[in-house]
Amino acid sequence: MRTLIVDDEIFMLRLLSHQLNVLGFVDIQTFQRAADALHMLESGLDPVGLILCDLQMPEMDGVEFIRHLVRIGYLGTLILVSGEDVRILRTAEKLARAHRLDVLGSLQKPVALSSLRELVSRSLAYSRYVQRGTHKTYGAEQLQKAIANGELVNHYQPKVALATAAFVGVETLVRWQHPDDGLVFPDQFIAAAEENRLIDGLTYVVLTSALRQLRQWKDDGLSLHVAVNISMDSLGALDFPERVAGLAHDCGVPLNEIVLEITESRLMKNPLAPLDILTRLRLKHIDISIDDFGTGHSSLAQLHGLPFNELKIDRGFVHGAWRDPSLGAIFDASLSMARKLGMRTVAEGVEDREDWDFVRAAGCELAQGWFIAKPMPPAALRDWIVAWESRRRELAEPGA
Ligand code: G
Ligand code: G
Ligand code: MN
């Protein structure tokens, strides 16, 4: 994996390269100026899998560099390194995560080989970059063909009730079964679909196949709800509620078993236009959910008056909140606000037992995340349910 180190001190560049060498990294490039690293990244010649970046640098500092990484759509992983106060380091880390960068963690100078080893061995194994291999993005034409040729497939990630650990539903996550590139993830094509007006077609395909799958599961005796991600752009067409209802009717699925997840950041650009549609979805008893809550630019006050009945707290405020008081405070505040507004709460990104215990003790209702299950093809759900049943008792203990 190609690795970049960005630090204004030559000594640090040498030290970190040496440490990475010891850990088995061979393809390493070092930069004293962030602008040069950026230039190399923008050329897009060789995909970079890991960047170690200093925060305090004279020209472009680490925070500014992070902003540019977001702008150019960097999909690899990031480690922040700094001699500054640990709180500054944590804030920068949080900022990068809020922008959806794949941050492995941060290191304080002087960097001990053991902490670097721990970060790259533990965190890298979990990173999107490593798990997903390829990171191409795709254009409109290719995507249009994929939609038309039926190359999109749905995976499903389970959601469980925290109090009882009972399985209650799944979130639909689309993947593209690409003929040459293998399984392609939505962060590589959803943005292109939105920019090129292909998102309605994509949503229709995903929704149809999710509702058919729900019918199939019900026929097999399972009881669950199915959530589908809806891009804000799809809420511009006034007949959207009727189309969803029509589709559900054709598939033989009750409307109250459908959840539509809408991303807050896109939503809040114009909260009035979709109000009509959201209200009529609720009149039909379709659940509507605010996705990735906490990452948008909205003020909490804007939530007032919108008829959402579920709030999904972004994984950035869930994973690790048990040991970070400021994340914990945001998590608790989101929960209590949702409760007062009569909304169901879902914690996303529950990655380990500590996360599970924390969100459960806080009184959140549902949980989703790798600790429970990764997204999976529909055929794998049965086996997962069986395996989950044997973990369930311990996880739902009163004091657990
Ligand atoms: O599946 P992943 O594991 O990579 O999902 C990445 C992002 O893609 C998530 O934020 C999710 O909301 C979004 N996404 C997944 N499936 C769909 C879909 O069918 N429609 C839209 N609009 N977004 C989706
Ligand atoms: O934005 P949305 O909530 O729709 O995103 C779902 C995304 O989160 C998918 O990309 C899914 O693969 C990812 N995801 C699901 N569970 C976890 C988790 O426990 N940790 C992390 N980091 N990502 C997760
Ligand atoms: Mn979602």
Side-chain angles (χ1 to χ4, degrees):
M1 157 156 47
R2 165 153 298 196
T3 300
L4 307 189
I5 311 174
V6 188
D7 196 309
D8 56 311
E9 289 174 75
I10 293 195
F11 169 74
M12 276 308 293
L13 292 176
R14 294 215 180 107
L15 179 71
L16 287 170
S17 318
H18 173 70
Q19 293 184 326
L20 284 170
N21 279 151
V22 173
L23 298 175
F25 289 73
V26 284
D27 189 357
I28 300 171
Q29 273 184 288
T30 59
F31 295 89
Q32 261 186 289
R33 297 175 62 242
D36 295 337
L38 201 60
H39 197 72
M40 186 263 156
L41 287 162
E42 277 179 303
S43 75
L45 294 178
D46 287 299
V48 171
L50 172 64
I51 300 176
L52 275 72
C53 175
D54 184 25
L55 283 184
Q56 186 72 268
M57 293 183 287
E59 289 162 59
M60 182 190 295
D61 64 39
V63 174
E64 200 178 344
F65 184 61
I66 287 172
R67 196 187 328 125
H68 286 289
L69 290 179
V70 175
R71 176 181 57 78
I72 65 173
Y74 173 65
L75 290 164
T77 60
L78 180 68
I79 292 177
L80 297 172
V81 188
S82 177
E84 298 295 327
D85 173 347
V86 67
R87 281 171 52 226
I88 296 181
L89 204 50
R90 291 263 179 275
T91 314
E93 199 181 322
K94 232 171 272 175
L95 179 70
R97 288 219 168 93
H99 281 301
R100 286 303 162 89
L101 289 179
D102 193 348
V103 184
L104 299 185
S106 52
L107 294 169
Q108 258 208 302
K109 292 180 186 175
V111 175
L113 181 61
S114 59
S115 9
L116 182 62
R117 175 186 289 124
E118 162 144 334
L119 254 197
V120 296
S121 63
R122 189 168 44 91
S123 307
L124 207 51
Y126 285 104
S127 104
R128 280 175 169 235
Y129 182 86
V130 170
Q131 294 190 342
R132 298 187 173 178
T134 160
H135 274 90
K136 284 209 286 203
T137 51
Y138 297 83
E141 210 172 307
Q142 296 160 290
L143 190 51
Q144 191 153 26
K145 266 192 224 146
I147 297 171
N149 297 345
E151 287 169 15
L152 298 185
V153 294
N154 287 350
H155 281 197
Y156 298 91
Q157 187 177 34
K159 293 193 209 172
V160 300
L162 279 153
T164 59
F167 167 61
V168 295
V170 293
E171 174 178 0
T172 308
L173 293 158
V174 66
R175 275 88 178 89
W176 174 2
Q177 190 63 64
H178 193 283
D180 305 317
D181 298 346
L183 201 61
V184 177
F185 288 80
D187 49 358
Q188 292 166 265
F189 60 86
I190 290 290
E194 287 173 348
E195 281 154 25
N196 297 288
R197 298 176 172 272
L198 296 170
I199 193 71
D200 280 346
L202 182 146
T203 301
Y204 184 78
V205 167
V206 171
L207 189 60
T208 307
S209 114
L211 295 182
R212 288 196 183 130
Q213 184 60 58
L214 175 57
R215 183 66 252 170
Q216 181 68 52
W217 278 323
K218 286 163 71 70
D219 291 343
D220 296 345
L222 289 180
S223 152
L224 73 162
H225 68 246
V226 168
V228 174
N229 289 289
I230 301 294
S231 174
M232 202 51 215
D233 307 13
S234 302
L235 296 189
L238 285 173
D239 65 346
F240 182 75
E242 282 68 36
R243 293 187 52 181
V244 177
L247 212 51
H249 181 264
D250 295 345
C251 298
V253 171
L255 294 176
N256 64 4
E257 291 173 12
I258 303 171
V259 182
L260 302 178
E261 296 188 5
I262 295 145
T263 300
E264 184 202 24
S265 55
R266 275 177 238 148
L267 174 79
M268 290 307 165
K269 279 184 193 139
N270 182 0
L272 274 189
L275 189 54
D276 174 307
I277 294 169
L278 294 175
T279 308
R280 279 188 295 125
L281 287 169
R282 285 301 298 136
L283 284 172
K284 294 184 188 302
H285 301 291
I286 294 171
D287 283 354
I288 50 175
S289 174
I290 301 184
D291 206 355
D292 303 326
F293 183 75
T295 59
H297 307 284
S298 65
S299 74
L300 294 183
Q302 281 177 291
L303 287 178
H304 168 71
L306 291 174
F308 287 100
N309 59 329
E310 182 183 274
L311 182 134
K312 294 191 81 174
I313 303 171
D314 189 71
R315 57 176 179 271
F317 303 107
V318 172
H319 175 56
W322 57 276
R323 62 180 149 88
D324 182 327
S326 72
L327 289 185
I330 294 171
F331 183 83
D332 285 337
S334 307
L335 267 195
S336 111
M337 187 205 60
R339 252 186 236 125
K340 285 179 189 147
L341 297 176
M343 296 162 82
R344 180 170 65 216
T345 47
V346 186
E348 298 181 336
V350 173
E351 290 189 17
D352 51 38
R353 179 64 193 254
E354 286 88 352
D355 292 343
W356 171 275
D357 290 340
F358 175 81
V359 298
R360 187 165 184 266
C364 185
E365 289 161 79
L366 305 184
Q368 183 179 343
W370 296 340
F371 178 68
I372 300 146
K374 298 220 160 162
M376 62 185 86
L381 189 68
R382 273 247 169 241
D383 284 349
W384 174 79
I385 290 175
V386 172
W388 178 253
E389 280 304 315
S390 63
R391 286 173 74 193
R392 216 184 124 177
R393 197 173 331 151
E394 191 218 344
L395 291 172
E397 270 168 19

